[in-house]
Amino acid sequence: MTDRDRLQDGLRHLGVALDQGQVTALLAYRDLLVKWNRAFNLTAVREPGEMIARHLLDSLAVLPHLDDGDTLDVGTGAGLPGIPLAIARPGQRFVLLDGNGKKARFVRQARRELGLDNVEVVHARVEQYRNAPSQIISRAFAALPDILAVTEPLIAPHTRVLAMKAAAAERELAELPAGWTARVEPLSVPGLDETRVLVIIRRSQ
C-alpha cells in the first residue's frame, strides 16, 4: 500500500472527505517535515509512513469537534495539529503559535510552500499573545491546568479550549481549578493502537 493509499484509507475511516489536492498537500507537508527533521529535530517520529497515522490522521481526528471560528494552535511545534487542519479547512483561519524559533521558521516555510493563505504563524510565547480566538487547540503542549493558566487571558465566555491528549487525563481533569467545565471525547485514530482523547474546556456559566 502506498502512503497516499494509507492516508486516503485513514481519511475514510475518520469520515473526512478531502479532495486530491488536499491529500497531495498533506503528503507534501509530511515530506517537508521529513526533510527538515534531519537537521532541526522537529519530531521524534522519524519514519515517513509512521507520520501518516501519528501526525496527519491524529491531527485530523479532531475535525468533527472543531467549529468554524478563528482557531489558535498553542505550542504548534512543527505545525501540529494546525497545518493538517488548515489544509482540511481552507476557508477557516488558523494562528499557529510557538516560542521555538527553529520550529516557527519551519512552519513559515511550510505555509509558503503549501500556499496556506488561511494560516498565520506567530513566533512568541503564549503569554505575549493578545488576540482572543473563537477556540484554542493544543497537542502535547502541557498539562490541562497549565494550559488554562497561560491561555486564560485569551479565553472569553464563548471560547473553547480543545486539548488533545494521549490518555484519559483523569488526574489532570481532577486538578482543574474552579470555574471551568470539561467534557472528554474519545478519538479513534486509524493506524494507532493507543488511547487518544480530546478534552473540551469552557468557563463555567
Side-chain angles (χ1 to χ4, degrees), residues 61-82:
V62 304
L63 275 173
H65 306 285
L66 207 66
D67 68 28
D68 58 2
D70 288 358
T71 304
L72 174 64
D73 179 4
V74 170
T76 190
L80 297 161

Side-chain angles (χ1 to χ4, degrees), residues 107-205:
V107 177
R108 285 197 184 101
Q109 182 67 22
R111 177 195 178 278
R112 282 194 297 269
E113 292 201 25
L114 299 172
L116 298 176
D117 295 334
N118 59 329
V119 169
E120 177 186 354
V121 183
V122 177
H123 174 212
R125 293 174 56 84
V126 182
E127 297 87 344
Q128 299 169 311
Y129 191 74
R130 290 292 177 264
N131 299 325
S134 171
Q135 58 196 347
I136 297 169
I137 194 165
S138 68
R139 178 181 184 263
F141 173 59
L144 296 175
D146 297 329
I147 293 172
L148 293 178
V150 296
T151 60
E152 185 169 10
L154 304 174
I155 301 174
H158 66 278
T159 306
R160 301 188 310 153
V161 178
L162 288 75
M164 301 171 67
K165 291 289 176 178
E170 288 92 349
R171 180 182 57 80
E172 293 180 24
L173 286 165
E175 294 173 354
L176 283 182
W180 303 95
T181 60
R183 184 174 88 251
V184 179
E185 296 286 351
L187 299 176
S188 178
V189 181
L192 277 189
D193 187 22
E194 299 172 16
T195 301
R196 291 283 192 272
V197 297
L198 181 68
V199 183
I200 303 173
I201 304 172
R202 295 178 181 267
R203 288 190 186 276
S204 301
Q205 298 301 316

Side-chain angles (χ1 to χ4, degrees), residues 45-66:
V45 180
R46 299 288 177 180
E47 206 278 308
E50 191 179 354
M51 288 183 181
I52 291 174
R54 291 195 172 276
H55 289 335
L56 302 183
L57 296 174
D58 187 58
S59 295
L60 295 171
V62 304
L63 275 173
H65 306 285
L66 207 66

